[in-house]
Amino acid sequence: KNNTIIKEHCHYIMRNSIGVAFSFLITSPLINEYLVVLMLGFFGWKITVLYVLSGLMIGVVSGLIFGRMNLDQYLVADFVENKAGKSKEESYSTFTSRFRFGWDESVSITKKIWLWVLIGVGVGAAIHNYIPQEMIQRIISKTGIFSVPIATILGVPMYGSCAAIVPIAVVLFQKGMPLGTALAFMMAIAALSLPEAIMLRRAMRLQLIILFFGITTLAIIATGYLFNFLQNILI
């Protein structure tokens, strides 16, 4: 009976932790401090502040959605160690014991994900900063009201550093692309990428990765339309 109660408690914590984890996965690249500093220089403070608030909102709302869904079944079983079978909690009262615990956990996690990280980094290195902006501009300029979702979808498979993303978004905007469309393209590259999906595959099943990418993509599209609507006010 005690093991059952502990197991249910662990599952409850796991389900709620998923929302926190996904909030971090989304907001971490979207509100990168380097990207924010560059945006201040290129777009000004009004657009930058709204961008930061939008990024926070996407992370919080998406995290709440994931936290309320029963998604622990889509985590890779051997990655998330279930310690429900232990009859009592372990205590780490000394610095040495805490350091040893942290070291053992780090080594354990590294052994589980090193191959996927290596593959993800390799793919990222191969396509790093490969963003054909002229082709992107030609495609998006012909899509009209659908420019935001098209720009977001085009940005998903691409990968680039913060230093490269913002100037490209500025160039696209200066060449006539709506503000929200350019920012949606930038956000998709920053928050969603093929290398990230490859690395996440070690910790979660494909269904959860697809759900993560799908919800984040929809949130970015909504944000893009919001910026397009407010463009005349912000500039």
Side-chain angles (χ1 to χ4, degrees):
K1 182 178 179 181
N2 289 335
N3 286 344
T4 301
I5 295 174
I6 294 173
K7 186 175 182 179
E8 290 177 353
H9 182 62
C10 288
H11 284 171
Y12 173 80
I13 295 175
M14 190 183 301
R15 285 194 297 268
N16 285 275
S17 297
I18 289 177
V20 176
F22 277 109
S23 290
F24 175 79
L25 282 174
I26 294 170
T27 56
S28 174
L30 283 183
I31 317 178
N32 181 286
E33 64 279 3
Y34 190 18
L35 186 145
V36 171
V37 170
L38 288 174
M39 285 195 66
L40 278 171
F42 284 112
F43 288 108
W45 70 269
K46 288 190 291 185
I47 294 176
T48 302
V49 169
L50 184 58
Y51 172 84
V52 171
L53 293 177
S54 299
L56 287 173
M57 184 62 66
I58 291 175
V60 172
V61 174
S62 299
L64 290 174
I65 293 173
F66 281 111
R68 290 185 174 274
M69 301 174 70
N70 186 20
L71 299 173
D72 55 302
Q73 59 184 314
Y74 296 113
L75 298 174
V76 176
D78 64 341
F79 183 82
V80 181
E81 296 181 0
N82 191 340
K83 301 180 180 179
K86 295 188 176 181
S87 58
K88 60 180 181 179
E89 295 182 359
E90 295 185 13
S91 176
Y92 304 97
S93 57
T94 66
F95 173 80
T96 303
S97 62
R98 290 194 294 269
F99 178 82
R100 185 180 297 110
F101 171 76
W103 176 264
D104 292 341
E105 287 291 297
S106 300
V107 171
S108 175
I109 293 173
T110 301
K111 287 181 179 178
K112 293 174 182 177
I113 68 173
W114 72 269
L115 180 60
W116 294 93
V117 171
L118 189 62
I119 294 173
V121 171
V123 173
I127 60 177
H128 185 67
N129 293 336
Y130 177 69
I131 305 174
Q133 63 186 54
E134 297 297 334
M135 183 184 70
I136 296 296
Q137 182 189 1
R138 288 197 301 270
I139 294 174
I140 296 177
S141 63
K142 301 176 182 179
T143 55
I145 194 174
F146 299 105
S147 64
V148 175
I150 295 298
T152 304
I153 293 172
L154 288 174
V156 169
M158 298 183 184
Y159 180 74
S161 66
C162 295
I165 298 171
V166 177
I168 289 174
V170 172
V171 170
L172 293 174
F173 174 63
Q174 291 176 343
K175 290 187 176 182
M177 184 178 293
L179 175 64
T181 304
L183 291 181
F185 179 67
M186 181 187 75
M187 294 169 78
I189 296 175
L192 303 171
S193 65
L194 180 58
E196 180 182 16
I198 293 173
M199 287 183 275
L200 288 175
R201 181 63 184 88
R202 182 60 187 89
M204 58 188 70
R205 300 186 187 279
L206 184 60
Q207 298 96 316
L208 185 53
I209 295 176
I210 293 174
L211 183 62
F212 164 59
F213 270 58
I215 291 178
T216 307
T217 298
L218 291 176
I220 290 174
I221 291 173
T223 303
Y225 279 120
L226 174 64
F227 272 94
N228 280 348
F229 178 75
L230 299 175
Q231 178 170 330
N232 293 333
I233 300 175
L234 295 172
I235 298 176

